[in-house]
Amino acid sequence: MRFRHPDGSTVHLAYCTNVHPAETLDGVLAQLRDHCEPVRRRLGRDRLGIGLWLAKDAAHALVTDPSALRGLRTELDRRGLEVVTLNGFPYEGFGAEEVKYRVYRPDWADPERLEHTTALARVLAGLLPDDVTEGTISTLPLAWRTAYDDGRADKAHAALITLAERLDALDELTGRSIRVGLEPEPGCVVETTGDAIAPLAAIAHRRIGICVDTCHLATSFEDPHTALDALTTARVPVVKSQLSAALHAEHPHLPEVRAALDAFDEPRFLHQTRTAVAAGLRGTDDLGEALEPDTLPDAAPWRAHFHVPLHAAPAAPLTSTLPVLKAALTRLVGGPHPLTRHLEVETYTWQALPPDLRPRGRAQLADGIAAELTLARDLLTDLGLKELP
């Protein structure tokens, strides 16, 4: 979906396909048929943007076989779909029964991360629509915080410098400018937008910036305006933003609130949980750990890294951090010029929701994704952007 900003630039809105597990190119092609095109039809649009997640094997198949890449591009066109952004965070196995800490491997100190991201950039340059010259990729925020020492930090820094040089060369070769954004996430080396400033300033390359995920922003209790103003002051480019909402518990000391939270404690993904106290943030790596007695202070609200559907906040006594998303979006695209032109709805946890909230079958999932995109579209038009055909 495309929108005209009041300054005349085009803002792209997509939804991320990491909600549809697929490790191979054949799986990706099936996603387009079984999920993405049905969502487009529900929205009544001739064209729908998708943020592709390409696992290691799918990316390798595309980057080593030009005919496969042409075939994917043809299939996108045939189904009324377009790609300007990729989710390069998960490497493989995102559809496994247990993902948890595995999603942070390989990190930026490992050569595999550089090679995979380079492959994604080359693929994206070949998938961009004919009238689009800029693409974006979101990626791991350096590494999970444990086992990350100065030596690994030096390797990660060198890898990102090499990536920037490769992106420069790709632009010269293809005329397509690809940028990569570190995506701050609780528990990682780069947990907050503030944590991203120093390493990105050290790289100081226009092709390497930040991806602002509004669920992660909210989970860390960051104020959107303060965070985005700091990035602007530091001249850190906001490469893209993922529109997502976290799980919010206003009164975590109450037994009924803990019972409601417990329903969201599931075995597949990590749900980092945070609370803001006078001394700063306190947190756990997962929601189940937070619910153990006397683990987290419970006099102030808790937020958990659980991407809940944008259009359907959990039932009381829980809610979502949709207000944080709205505030961030206002700062991102509501000013005289957008801070980013690539927005991506990223609710990948539909099948991890409590059983009574999960979609039953493809049709209900498509309905839910279409409802999220409709909400995002309405927020953008309320900010003065005009939806384009």
Side-chain angles (χ1 to χ4, degrees), residues 13-38:
L13 173 66
Y15 94 88
C16 186
T17 64
N18 62 353
V19 63
H20 311 305
E23 298 290 318
T24 66
L25 179 55
D26 284 343
V28 171
L29 294 171
Q31 287 177 350
L32 306 185
R33 178 193 67 226
D34 297 338
H35 299 288
C36 302
E37 186 176 9

Side-chain angles (χ1 to χ4, degrees), residues 141-326:
L142 298 182
W144 186 251
R145 69 183 185 280
T146 56
Y148 190 77
D149 55 20
D150 289 344
R152 292 187 69 78
D154 289 343
K155 290 179 181 178
H157 176 85
L160 287 167
I161 292 294
T162 299
L163 176 67
E165 293 169 349
R166 291 179 178 179
L167 295 178
D168 282 342
L170 184 64
D171 191 357
E172 291 183 11
L173 180 66
T174 67
R176 303 296 178 92
S177 174
I178 308 298
R179 296 189 299 161
V180 173
L182 304 183
E183 181 186 333
E185 177 165 314
C188 292
V189 172
V190 174
E191 174 158 339
T192 67
T193 56
D195 294 336
I197 290 175
L200 290 175
I203 295 168
H205 199 288
R206 65 189 179 91
R207 297 198 194 276
I208 311 295
I210 192 170
C211 168
V212 175
D213 183 302
T214 58
C215 170
H216 304 173
L217 190 80
T219 302
S220 294
F221 287 87
E222 291 194 78
D223 174 72
H225 292 282
T226 302
L228 292 168
D229 285 349
L231 293 174
T232 300
T233 299
R235 296 186 177 181
V236 172
V238 181
V239 168
K240 65 184 278 190
S241 180
Q242 289 172 327
L243 306 183
S244 53
L247 191 62
H248 179 95
E250 186 69 18
H251 302 292
H253 66 284
L254 296 176
E256 60 267 30
V257 175
R258 286 177 175 261
L261 285 170
D262 185 64
F264 286 84
D265 179 29
E266 55 83 35
R268 187 170 176 184
F269 299 111
L270 208 59
H271 301 296
Q272 302 93 314
T273 304
R274 298 288 185 268
T275 185
V277 298
L281 279 184
R282 292 280 304 279
T284 61
D285 284 354
D286 214 346
L287 180 56
E289 182 186 353
L291 291 170
E292 292 292 327
D294 303 320
T295 300
L296 271 189
D298 59 8
W302 288 4
R303 289 176 179 173
H305 172 217
F306 196 121
H307 290 221
V308 295
L310 303 186
H311 68 292
L318 303 178
T319 187
S320 80
T321 60
L322 184 61
V324 176
L325 183 159
K326 292 179 177 179

Side-chain angles (χ1 to χ4, degrees), residues 118-137:
T118 301
L120 292 178
R122 291 171 177 163
V123 168
L124 181 56
L127 293 181
L128 289 177
D130 292 340
D131 60 344
V132 175
T133 58
E134 295 183 357
T136 59
I137 302 171

